[in-house]
């Protein structure tokens, strides 16, 4: 697993994205294949906000953009000019998993357009999972696609592995064209190689052992790269101080079986007072444990910060 080229990311070959839906972005969901900077094809889904589906004739400041998929003009709708939430799922998840779709619906109901995607090695995407390393390139492609669609404001929310990815992406892309306007990390680790809980010891067996990777491929439907990280990527806790002044939210459940509460507290402390911390009573791990009430609060935070 290699981290080379971390300091800069591009969405490659945007004009030739493959789509199964054409027309204005406000017409309804669309599914495309993005191509990352290292050439991996990533499946992604765009959904307009619930408000834009029912009322696309809203007034306000127009933002000019070009639909990267269909080549259509998307000038003049607040639905396109407003916030897009890019959702980064956890390890073994995908854009089509029920918990991810539930989160997407919740954010759309709060007035945001939503981009979901499958990390490399997951779902219908190509490549192999590097368990949070080169997945930053996948997120970068999704963020840049949201910008190409004309959204003036793009925010990210990640769960577990996706939480570590959104933190690193926000730090590495700060001040660039791939920047984000707010970032939320849910159930994210603070540091790499953590084996302090039984679920994390099992996960390390899946990732590092040949038999484990077979279980990952056929049991968990996740294709895992056999190579070790070289070099080791920037850790989440090292990334956090580099994110400011972008608003940052850390969310963690007090019943998380994977990462105990020292992880979110360490992440929040690394923000030097700039990070907001929500410790959720009774919550377990990642998107599967996020209930409707938490998703609604997350959606409000992402669209209003």
């Amino acid at each position: 697993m290699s981290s080379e080229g971390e300091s800069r990311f591009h969405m490659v070959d945007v004009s030739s994205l493959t789509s199964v839906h054409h027309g204005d972005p406000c017409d309804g969901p669309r599914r495309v294949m993005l191509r990352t900077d290292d050439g991996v094809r990533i499946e992604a889904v765009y959904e307009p906000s619930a408000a834009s589906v029912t009322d696309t004739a809203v007034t306000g400041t127009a933002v000019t953009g070009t639909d990267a998929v269909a080549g259509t003009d998307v000038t003049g709708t607040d639905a396109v000019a407003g916030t897009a939430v890019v959702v980064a799922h956890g390890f073994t998840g995908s854009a089509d998993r029920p918990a991810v779709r539930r989160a997407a619906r919740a954010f759309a109901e709060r007035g945001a357009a939503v981009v979901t995607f499958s990390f490399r090695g997951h779902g219908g995407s190509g490549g192999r999972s590097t368990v949070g390393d080169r997945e930053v390139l996948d997120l970068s492609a999704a963020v840049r696609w949201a910008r190409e669609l004309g959204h003036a404001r793009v925010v990210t929310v990640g769960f577990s592995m996706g939480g570590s990815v959104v933190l690193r992406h926000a730090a590495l892309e700060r001040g660039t064209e791939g920047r984000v306007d707010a970032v939320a990390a849910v159930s994210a680790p603070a540091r790499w190689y953590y084996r302090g809980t039984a679920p994390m010891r099992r996960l390390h067996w899946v990732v590092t052992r040949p038999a484990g990777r077979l279980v990952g491929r056929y049991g968990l439907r996740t294709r895992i790269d056999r190579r070790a990280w070289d070099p080791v990527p920037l850790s989440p806790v090292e990334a956090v101080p580099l994110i400011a002044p972008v608003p940052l939210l850390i969310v963690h459940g007090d019943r998380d079986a994977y990462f105990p509460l020292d992880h979110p507290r360490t992440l929040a402390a690394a923000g030097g007072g700039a990070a907001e911390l929500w410790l959720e009573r009774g919550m377990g791990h990642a998107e599967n444990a996020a209930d409707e009430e938490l998703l609604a609060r997350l959606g409000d935070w992402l669209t209003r910060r």
Side-chain angles (χ1 to χ4, degrees), residues 25-36:
C26 297
D27 288 345
R30 65 176 59 207
R31 185 178 295 266
V32 303
M33 296 299 291
L34 308 177
R35 191 178 299 277
T36 67

Side-chain angles (χ1 to χ4, degrees), residues 89-101:
H89 63 76
F91 183 62
T92 75
S94 75
D96 292 326
R97 289 292 178 89
V100 175
R101 301 267 41 90

Side-chain angles (χ1 to χ4, degrees), residues 108-142:
E109 288 170 359
R110 313 314 287 183
V114 182
V115 173
T116 53
F117 66 96
S118 298
F119 280 121
R120 62 187 61 205
H122 294 72
S125 293
R128 295 179 182 272
S129 174
T130 62
V131 199
D133 180 9
R134 297 191 69 81
E135 282 75 9
V136 177
L137 297 170
D138 309 342
L139 178 60
S140 183

Side-chain angles (χ1 to χ4, degrees), residues 64-78:
T64 301
T66 300
D67 181 339
V69 178
T72 57
D73 183 52
V74 295
T75 303
T77 62
D78 276 351

